């Protein structure tokens, strides 16, 4: 976990039930491969997400792989432009782990480039999906609280 | 010819905080050389050790990924928009 003395306060990710269902359904639709997508929402002046999500963008896994994912680049551009046109920004990426826990893999940690992003993992390992969220900074992983609301 | 370069949040601190930069060049590679001359901190994020586009960055000429055009040799027209975005990937 990240140390509080590093000035790190993980944001709380706030999803509606409908957004949660969209994310999880896209993960199941992607089987047997990993699925991925992006979340947009408002950000503070320093680039920190408020944690509120206003748009969910299910994306294509350009790797078409059960072990890795890459968000298809044109979909990434479109989601970025769409969010910025509303004076918001991309705040999170989500992807599924088909046979492992909802925790960032070594690959996830080494390829996490955005210090202000929330990295959402959906594990499909068990009968019930598990969704958890993290910050990844300088190789350190800190968990973010996830709150589901009706609307 | 002048084009607009849009930088991702992640790279703005290496370019004096700017979100967009105007630059001149006949190709994307030309524009990158201009950018890197002005903001040397961008070099490692854009270009790899062999001089090719870094694999963890996506670059678009308007709506087209330059990997599917002519990479750094992709030609530019007046007022094209070059968008740079980090690749979003993991395992």
């Amino acid at each position: 976990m990240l140390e509080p003395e590093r000035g790190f306060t993980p944001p709380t990710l706030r999803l509606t039930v409908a957004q949660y269902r969209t994310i999880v359904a896209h993960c199941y639709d992607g089987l047997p491969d990993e699925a991925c997508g992006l979340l947009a929402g408002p950000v503070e002046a320093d680039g920190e997400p408020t944690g509120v999500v206003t748009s969910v963008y299910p994306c294509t896994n350009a790797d078409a792989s059960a072990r890795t994912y890459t968000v298809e680049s044109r979909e990434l551009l479109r989601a970025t432009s769409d969010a910025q046109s509303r004076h918001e920004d991309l705040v999170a990426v989500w992807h599924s782990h088909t046979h492992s826990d909802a925790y960032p893999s070594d690959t996830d940690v080494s390829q996490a480039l955005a210090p202000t992003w929330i990295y959402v993992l959906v594990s499909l390992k068990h009968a019930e999906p598990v969704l958890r969220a993290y910050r990844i900074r300088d190789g350190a992983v800190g968990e973010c609280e996830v709150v589901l609301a009706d609307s | 010819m002048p084009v607009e370069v849009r930088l991702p949040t992640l790279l703005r601190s290496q370019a004096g905080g700017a979100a967009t930069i105007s630059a001149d060049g006949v190709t994307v590679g030309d524009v990158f050389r201009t950018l890197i001359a002005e903001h040397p901190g961008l070099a490692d994020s854009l270009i790899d050790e062999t001089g090719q586009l870094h694999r963890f960055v996506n670059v678009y000429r308007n709506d087209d990924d330059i990997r599917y055009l002519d990479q750094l040799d992709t030609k530019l027209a007046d007022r094209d928009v070059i968008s740079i975005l980090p690749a979003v990937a993991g395992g």
Side-chain angles (χ1 to χ4, degrees):
Chain A
M1 298 294 283
L2 295 171
E3 301 294 330
E5 55 265 33
R6 291 173 66 183
F8 178 85
T9 309
T12 296
L13 180 66
R14 298 176 192 282
L15 294 173
T16 66
V17 171
Q19 289 170 338
Y20 172 87
R21 286 184 179 145
T22 300
I23 293 167
V24 171
H26 185 64
C27 291
Y28 279 110
D29 286 346
L31 286 172
D33 293 340
E34 291 191 3
C36 57
L38 300 160
L39 304 177
V43 295
E44 310 280 6
D46 61 1
E48 276 289 314
T50 65
V52 171
V53 171
T54 51
S55 294
V56 177
Y57 305 98
C59 295
T60 304
N61 176 1
D63 295 348
S65 162
R67 296 187 176 276
T68 64
Y69 78 95
T70 300
V71 174
E72 203 279 321
S73 71
R74 193 180 296 241
E75 295 171 22
L76 172 66
L77 177 67
R78 285 199 190 124
T80 303
S81 303
D82 183 60
Q84 290 177 349
S85 73
R86 287 180 283 109
H87 303 288
E88 296 178 342
D89 213 336
L90 297 184
V91 295
V93 57
W94 92 78
H95 77 281
S96 58
H97 281 175
T98 58
H99 290 93
S100 56
D101 290 327
Y103 191 85
S105 65
D106 291 345
T107 307
D108 293 331
V109 173
S110 68
Q111 297 193 17
L113 300 174
T116 62
W117 274 22
I118 300 167
Y119 289 84
V120 178
L121 274 294
V122 179
S123 173
L124 306 179
K125 179 182 176 185
H126 301 292
E128 288 293 317
V130 176
L131 182 149
R132 297 176 79 169
Y134 303 88
R135 261 302 169 63
I136 304 174
R137 275 188 185 169
D138 301 328
V141 176
E143 185 155 8
C144 302
E145 190 182 356
V146 180
V147 173
L148 288 188
D150 287 336
S151 61
Chain B
M1 47 201 76
V3 297
E4 176 184 320
V5 182
R6 296 184 183 167
L7 293 173
T9 313
L10 194 64
L11 294 183
R12 287 175 197 168
S13 63
Q14 288 147 38
T20 64
I21 295 175
S22 183
D24 270 311
V26 174
T27 65
V28 173
D30 288 342
V31 167
F32 278 13
R33 278 185 282 280
T34 306
L35 282 183
I36 290 167
E38 286 175 29
H39 306 285
L42 288 172
D44 290 346
S45 303
L46 299 182
I47 304 291
D48 70 15
E49 60 279 3
T50 68
Q52 298 302 306
L53 184 63
H54 199 293
R55 61 184 283 251
F56 287 145
V57 76
N58 296 316
V59 178
Y60 310 84
R61 182 190 69 190
N62 302 322
D63 289 332
D64 296 316
D65 187 330
I66 68 163
R67 279 204 174 80
Y68 305 112
L69 299 172
D70 292 318
Q71 307 247 12
L72 292 174
D73 295 328
T74 299
K75 293 219 166 18
L76 298 171
D78 215 8
R79 286 190 283 281
D80 274 347
V81 174
I82 298 176
S83 303
I84 301 171
L85 292 175
V88 179

